[in-house]
């Protein structure tokens, strides 16, 4: 088994993972409430970029809170899916198959 070659490959894969994470900062996920009164934008790394709230929601604190929870959770779920898919693609494509190695990337 070529340990040096595998270590080089591992470093290369880690670099690709870092590059992918940086790129995911530029991938935007838009989500909105069913009626469009609340809109949120997140990066694929699950950082909130913007929240837009219709004036009518400002009159009802509880409704606004409910809207934020539901809409943000949907956006986070979408962002997580994109993030996981992208990172899985990098690790599966480049990783040499070493028993137990997949545990490192969980």
């Amino acid at each position: 088994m070529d340990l040096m070659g595998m270590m080089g490959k591992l470093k290369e894969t880690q670099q690709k993972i870092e590059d992918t994470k940086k790129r995911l900062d530029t991938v935007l996920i838009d989500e909105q409430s069913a009626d469009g009164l609340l809109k949120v934008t997140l990066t694929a790394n699950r950082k909130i970029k913007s929240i837009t709230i219709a004036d009518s929601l400002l009159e009802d604190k509880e409704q606004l809170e409910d809207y934020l929870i539901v809409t943000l959770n949907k956006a986070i779920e979408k962002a997580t899916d994109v993030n996981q898919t992208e990172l899985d693609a990098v690790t599966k494509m480049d990783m040499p198959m070493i028993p137990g190695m997949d545990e490192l990337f969980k």
Side-chain angles (χ1 to χ4, degrees):
M1 185 151 48
D2 176 13
L3 202 55
M4 289 307 288
M6 281 175 27
M7 293 308 287
K9 189 84 173 142
L10 188 58
K11 269 196 174 357
E12 198 179 297
T13 301
Q14 285 173 325
Q15 184 58 53
K16 284 183 182 176
I17 290 169
E18 288 311 306
D19 292 346
T20 300
K21 285 181 179 175
K22 279 187 190 133
R23 188 172 55 75
L24 290 173
D25 272 334
T26 67
V27 175
L28 300 179
I29 309 294
D30 294 312
E31 187 59 64
Q32 63 180 10
S33 57
D35 56 14
L37 296 178
L38 177 77
K39 297 177 182 164
V40 297
T41 301
L42 273 64
T43 69
N45 282 327
R46 299 174 294 271
K47 298 276 187 275
I48 297 170
K49 285 300 205 181
S50 71
I51 297 178
T52 307
I53 301 168
D55 290 343
S56 62
L57 282 178
L58 299 177
E59 296 157 18
D60 186 341
K61 183 177 182 289
E62 274 185 29
Q63 185 185 14
L64 175 56
E65 289 169 350
D66 289 345
Y67 270 55
L68 282 167
I69 290 167
V70 170
T71 308
L72 283 169
N73 279 332
K74 282 200 304 192
I76 289 167
E77 201 175 295
K78 277 187 184 177
T80 300
D81 288 347
V82 170
N83 187 293
Q84 201 61 56
T85 301
E86 292 287 323
L87 291 176
D88 282 354
V90 171
T91 54
K92 283 187 176 75
M93 178 177 63
D94 288 327
M95 283 304 295
M97 278 295 103
I98 306 166
M101 206 55 165
D102 54 343
E103 293 299 313
L104 289 176
F105 292 100
K106 285 188 177 163

